[in-house]
Amino acid sequence: MRRVPRPTVSARDSFTMCISLVRNADLKQRLQSVADHVATQSVNYQLRASAARLDLIQQTDNVASAVTTKEMVAVYDQRMAGKNGPGRHIYDKIKSLPQFGICPFCDHRPVSTLDHLLPKGLFPDFAVTPDNLIGACADCNKLKLDFAPLTEADVLLHPYFDNVENGRWLTAEVVEGRVAAVLFRTKPVAEWPSVLNARVEQQFKMLGLSSLYGAQAAREISEQAFLLGNIHDSSGADDVRAELLGQAQSREYAYLNSWRAVMCRALGESNWFCNGGFCGA
């Protein structure tokens, strides 16, 4: 759920480039006839996305009654995502936008594809519209499937238009046991509208981030057990706590809702963990 800079190429330029090498005369004429429509709809998309109301965009089964959904999807699949497609350089540029090449939805796995925030099969007008295309990991792309928002609270967080980096919405709880575990949850940010908090929670659940972060936290605890054990043996629980909270502060400086930062803070605030709860790791 990280911000990503918007693509600089326009919807018209993207569409025009993608259809530039179409050889079928009838198809090319029909595709060219909807260029203005695609450009106009991209402005509508920008306005709706800026207001977090993509739910107000209607699903369609064609583009301006001239191009079928199947034909428009093929423009993306063959002429943008295709390795030899005329729009492939636009695809690659958008794919490179997320910081460090990490998926902005899960903030964990590497970007490997482009995700259509509004599915191209339901919203063909935006099949090659750059504002609707986000570099993402294959898992998040698959988990979203053909999800289409029906209400304001359903609208997925948009990496180009939404900013949830300035509020602490991710929290964690240490689960005591033979092996320490960490349970991740969302929490409402008091300063935010209730609908934004609901969107954060919905997307967190949809993408299975609690399970993803929990599994990675277990591995991280195991890898830190030796270091924390040495600190505990030499200077006690207070220094274990200082180490973990120092790690948390450093990670929070880079990104407030880093799962590693949240994990370190939860572990550092757990008396049980700092007093040897990591020993079973």
Side-chain angles (χ1 to χ4, degrees):
M1 301 186 189
R2 300 287 297 268
R3 294 207 78 185
V4 177
R6 283 179 65 196
T8 55
V9 64
S10 71
R12 181 186 293 276
D13 288 346
S14 175
F15 181 65
T16 300
M17 178 59 67
C18 288
I19 68 172
S20 61
L21 300 182
V22 174
R23 294 182 179 179
N24 182 289
D26 171 68
L27 176 60
K28 186 158 190 173
Q29 186 278 323
R30 287 187 291 110
L31 287 169
Q32 290 174 332
S33 74
V34 302
D36 286 344
H37 174 81
V38 169
T40 299
Q41 285 297 91
S42 74
V43 175
N44 181 43
Y45 183 102
Q46 178 184 342
L47 293 173
R48 298 302 190 190
S50 296
R53 292 307 308 266
L54 287 179
D55 58 301
L56 298 178
I57 295 181
Q58 299 297 310
Q59 299 179 29
T60 62
D61 57 8
N62 62 73
V63 180
S65 300
V67 175
T68 68
T69 294
K70 183 178 180 179
E71 288 169 334
M72 194 64 171
V73 169
V75 170
Y76 172 80
D77 289 342
Q78 300 171 16
R79 304 180 182 281
M80 188 176 204
K83 290 186 178 180
N84 297 316
R88 178 66 192 205
H89 64 288
I90 299 174
Y91 177 101
D92 289 337
K93 178 65 176 177
I94 296 173
K95 186 179 171 185
S96 73
L97 291 175
Q99 190 177 33
F100 310 125
I102 299 299
C103 175
F105 296 111
C106 65
D107 191 37
H108 181 71
R109 293 177 288 249
V111 169
S112 58
T113 188
L114 289 189
D115 176 79
H116 288 78
L117 201 74
L118 292 182
K120 59 184 181 296
L122 302 177
F123 302 88
D125 288 350
F126 311 111
V128 296
T129 296
D131 276 344
N132 192 46
L133 300 172
I134 299 103
C137 69
D139 286 353
C140 285
N141 187 35
K142 184 177 180 180
L143 286 166
K144 285 175 66 281
L145 292 176
D146 288 333
F147 178 80
L150 299 178
T151 69
E152 184 178 5
D154 290 337
V155 177
L156 295 176
L157 298 169
H158 200 310
Y160 300 150
F161 296 94
D162 289 306
N163 182 6
V164 294
E165 295 187 5
N166 58 357
R168 194 185 295 272
W169 54 262
L170 183 61
T171 186
E173 173 189 351
V174 178
V175 180
E176 300 178 11
R178 186 181 63 81
V179 177
V182 180
L183 178 63
F184 291 86
R185 298 188 180 94
T186 62
K187 66 175 183 178
V189 178
E191 297 78 16
W192 289 358
S194 60
V195 69
L196 179 56
N197 284 311
R199 291 169 64 207
V200 170
E201 181 179 13
Q202 175 194 244
Q203 190 157 325
F204 186 81
K205 291 179 178 178
M206 175 186 291
L207 299 180
L209 298 186
S210 182
S211 296
L212 173 64
Y213 295 166
Q216 295 305 311
R219 179 177 180 178
E220 191 93 358
I221 291 170
S222 177
E223 292 176 350
Q224 291 219 41
F226 179 77
L227 168 65
L228 298 178
N230 283 342
I231 294 174
H232 187 269
D233 291 345
S234 63
S235 49
D238 286 345
D239 278 12
V240 172
R241 179 175 292 104
E243 168 67 22
L244 290 166
L245 294 180
Q247 289 187 32
Q249 185 176 20
S250 178
R251 297 178 189 279
E252 287 168 351
Y253 181 80
Y255 177 47
L256 185 61
N257 292 293
S258 158
W259 69 263
R260 288 185 175 88
V262 173
M263 174 199 71
C264 287
R265 183 160 296 283
L267 296 175
E269 292 175 351
S270 167
N271 289 330
W272 171 80
F273 187 84
C274 293
N275 277 293
F278 49 83
C279 292

